[in-house]
Amino acid sequence: VQLQASGGGLVQAEGSLRLSCAASGRALSRYAVGWFRQAPGKEREFVSSIAWSGDSTIYEDSVKGRFTISRDNAKNTVYLQMNSLKPEDTAVYYCAASSSPSWTLYPRRMDTYNYWGQGTQVTVSS
């Protein structure tokens, strides 16, 4: 499966953006999907993930209550709605797909994910 992340941009603090992760090649419904981000000079970190069925979602503590992950399997797309953005959310955001059964145990680990898209830049100004 190939993943294409989009929707990044420049936004002021407290603004909103919606990121999309579109899949091609295989049905995204086969995969759990996660979002990760990497700020300059920092390691890539987990943001959120959603089960293949959409019935389970997980968030990193700093984004809980502000970000919402969802999926539309009919459109082969996963979304990350980001509200109340803060300057510390500035990063390149990556989506990734996992077909591994270990996702249920380790959804936050990068090595759980088999496929990665290119990143999309999110910049939040203060």
Side-chain angles (χ1 to χ4, degrees), residues 31-113:
Y31 304 91
V33 175
W35 286 97
F36 292 77
R37 65 187 180 187
Q38 188 166 19
K42 295 187 177 181
E43 294 186 351
R44 193 172 299 187
E45 65 175 4
F46 172 80
V47 176
S48 181
S49 191
I50 187 167
W52 67 272
S53 62
D55 62 355
S56 176
T57 57
I58 302 161
Y59 297 93
E60 192 265 333
D61 286 348
S62 71
V63 307
K64 281 181 182 177
R66 300 188 298 122
F67 291 11
T68 303
I69 191 170
S70 62
R71 66 190 304 155
D72 185 339
N73 286 337
K75 294 184 178 180
N76 241 17
T77 303
V78 169
Y79 304 98
L80 186 68
Q81 178 67 44
M82 306 187 296
N83 298 329
S84 301
L85 282 160
K86 303 176 181 181
E88 50 264 43
D89 294 317
T90 294
V92 177
Y93 283 70
Y94 299 88
C95 61
S98 173
S99 60
S100 171
S102 66
W103 180 88
T104 58
L105 295 174
Y106 308 113
R108 301 169 185 268
R109 287 177 49 164
M110 287 193 292
D111 60 4
T112 295
Y113 296 84

Side-chain angles (χ1 to χ4, degrees), residues 6 8 30 81:
S6 63
R30 295 170 174 258
Q81 178 67 44

